[in-house]
Each structure stands twice: as structure tokens, then as C-alpha cells.
Amino acid sequence: MNLNFSGLRALVTGAGKGIGHDTVKALHASGAKVVAVTRTNADLVSLAKECPGIEPVCVDLGDWEATEKALRAIGPVDLLVNNAGVALIQPFMESTKEVFDRSFNVNVRSVLQVSQMVAKGMINRGVAGSIVNISSMVAYVTFLAWPHTVSSTKGALTMLTKAMAMELGPHKIRVNSVNPTVVLTDMGKKVSADPDFAKKLKERHPLRRFAEVEDVVNSILFLLSDSSASTSGSSILVDAGYLAS
Ligand code: NDP
């Protein structure tokens, strides 16, 4: 997608791999200054080679105190992509407190924390910012291979998105989500580990396909840009028609 983000500063979480990695590359190519936040330093080293000039921040976003410390002096941010997420697979009946807490801390609580810090700066500067949360199609439907920890956290994230849009709207800050079906990143490959299940699941999509990383990145860029100036509290399904099936 050919958009110009020159003069704007963006922060992307979960920037080391998959959707976050390609979002950083797209924003960098579109002229934005990018702060790339992720957990594995080696990913930031290689990302900095691909995108010279990015500002790397290595932190575990599931750790509130470490995140506070790492992002306290982050400076002005105009565009925020809350993309970091985990898919910790445990059947409901075997779920532990640790997995439940970790899932909510990374997938939901970190969105609250990072967005608070960034939105405070936007409000103080009086800029019209845009925040995009990466939710999932499983915020609306479940399927057995995908753990309840993803569905429940992404369901919560969809409503957190709307609540943020309500409160931040008067400050001209828009908040939306992108809700993809399976994308064959490291995370998405967990679904395709069972080829029979993956084939049946794919065939249930009206378009007979999963989503590509690029499809998700394009929706993120659209929601970050002024092309979606009147859109807030909303979500874009990138689901190959699944929810229509
Ligand atoms: P990947 O697992 O490929 O990449 C996730 C990135 O987030 C990695 O760089 C990872 O770092 C980082 N990350 C994870 N936990 C933390 C943390 N605690 N602190 C900082 N960084 C962290 O996932 P995807 O690119 O596929 O997923 C991106 C988003 O899209 C997620 O929110 C996911 O739920 C959502 N999504 C994905 C779908 C899919 O099928 N792939 C479908 C629907 C939604 P590290 O590897 O070092 O842990």
C-alpha cells in the first residue's frame, strides 16, 4: 500500500517476527521514524540492518515494571501498533493460572499500558494520533486448534479497542483493530501443524485461503493513515470471508 508517513513517528510492538516485522518494514519504507519493540534482541539486530535508523527497544511486554522502565522516555509517538501477542496452547480443562495470566498480560494488559503511555504524549502535544490493535477473527468465533487463551484475550481486546476509542476520541485519537484469520507466521503455523485440520479449515473460508502477512499489514496501514479519518472503535476483518460462512 502506497502511503506517506513522512514526519511521523510510529511505535510497533512484537516487531521481531511475522506481522510486526513486516509492519515495521512497511512504515519505514513509507517514511515514518519507527520505534521497534520486541522481546528477542537478535531480531532487533537483524531488523535494524533491514531498516537503518529504526529505534530498537528490547523488553518483555508481559512484565509491567520492565515495560514502564523501557518506554518511560519513549518521546513523541503519532502512530501505535499494538501487535505483540502469544498463543499459548492449553485445553480449557488443563489451563493453569500461569498460562492464563501470561496470555492476558501480553495480549491485553500490555496494550493498556503501552497505549496509556503513548496516548498521554499525544494528548499533551495535541496531535491527532492513530492506534491499531491486532486482535483476531477468534475474537468472534472459536475453533478447537486455537486455544481459548487466544479467543478470550482477543475478545477482550476488541472491547478494549472500543472503550479506548470512546475515551480518546475527544482528543482526536482514533483506535481500531485488525482481526485476521490464520496467517502462516511462526504463530499461525501452530494451526497448520495438523495438515488435515488445516485443509478443512481453509476450505471453510469462502475464499479458500488463509490471510497473507501483507493483507494484514495493508489494513494496519490504512487504519493508521488519514484515509480512515472517520473510522474509530471499529475492526477490519482480514478473514477471507470466514465469518460469512
Ligand atoms: P509471531 O509469533 O510470528 O510474532 C510475534 C512477535 O511478537 C514476535 O516478535 C515476538 O517476540 C513478539 N512478542 C511476543 N510476546 C512478546 C512480549 N511479551 N514482549 C515483547 N514482544 C513479544 O506472531 P504473528 O506475527 O503471527 O502475530 C502478531 C499478532 O497477530 C499477534 O497479536 C497475534 O495474536 C495476531 N494474530 C495472528 C494470527 C496468525 O494466525 N498468525 C491470526 C490472528 C491474529 P519473540 O518471538 O521474541 O517472543
Side-chain angles (χ1 to χ4, degrees):
M1 186 173 278
N2 201 8
L3 292 167
N4 189 348
F5 293 107
S6 297
L8 299 178
R9 191 153 173 268
L11 188 154
V12 180
T13 69
K17 301 184 177 76
I19 294 165
H21 172 271
D22 282 22
T23 301
V24 171
K25 281 181 70 176
L27 284 167
H28 181 259
S30 308
K33 288 194 184 309
V34 187
V35 182
V37 182
T38 198
R39 209 165 61 104
T40 301
N41 197 50
D43 289 338
L44 288 169
V45 172
S46 64
L47 188 59
K49 283 187 190 138
E50 289 179 85
C51 305
I54 62 158
E55 298 168 59
V57 177
C58 191
V59 67
D60 176 355
L61 292 163
D63 180 335
W64 183 279
E65 287 72 28
T67 302
E68 163 72 27
K69 201 170 157 202
L71 298 182
R72 192 180 291 143
I74 204 61
V77 173
D78 307 286
L79 313 169
L80 170 62
V81 183
N82 287 307
N83 162 78
V86 287
L88 304 175
I89 297 184
Q90 264 188 346
F92 171 74
M93 289 301 285
E94 289 159 30
S95 248
T96 60
K97 175 182 180 294
E98 287 69 30
V99 161
F100 184 87
D101 286 349
R102 178 75 182 160
S103 302
F104 270 86
N105 288 350
V106 178
N107 292 5
V108 186
R109 196 184 69 181
S110 79
V111 175
L112 167 88
Q113 188 184 19
V114 177
S115 302
Q116 272 182 348
M117 294 168 107
V118 165
K120 204 174 282 175
M122 289 171 175
I123 293 167
N124 286 343
R125 290 185 300 132
V127 300
S130 178
I131 299 175
V132 178
N133 298 329
I134 311 308
S135 184
S136 169
M137 175 180 90
V138 300
Y140 306 116
V141 291
T142 60
F143 42 85
L144 273 178
W146 222 216
H148 69 88
T149 52
V150 181
S151 281
S152 55
T153 55
K154 296 303 189 179
L157 186 54
T158 293
M159 289 314 293
L160 179 62
T161 302
K162 291 181 192 294
M164 287 165 64
M166 281 287 285
E167 204 171 315
L168 297 176
H171 299 285
K172 299 190 172 32
I173 300 170
R174 297 183 299 110
V175 190
N176 293 287
S177 72
V178 175
N179 296 52
T181 181
V182 176
V183 186
L184 292 177
T185 57
D186 288 356
M187 183 188 287
K189 282 177 190 153
K190 290 182 186 174
V191 172
S192 62
D194 175 350
D196 277 350
F197 175 80
K199 187 165 176 278
K200 283 192 195 118
L201 182 63
K202 195 183 278 187
E203 279 167 6
R204 206 180 138 187
H205 290 66
L207 292 177
R208 307 285 186 266
R209 52 173 285 180
F210 295 143
E212 299 294 330
V213 171
E214 188 185 359
D215 303 330
V216 182
V217 173
N218 282 340
S219 291
I220 295 170
L221 297 185
F222 168 69
L223 288 172
L224 289 177
S225 77
D226 290 344
S227 299
S228 59
S230 295
T231 303
S232 195
S234 193
S235 40
I236 295 184
L237 278 166
V238 184
D239 72 340
Y242 190 89
L243 287 193
S245 70

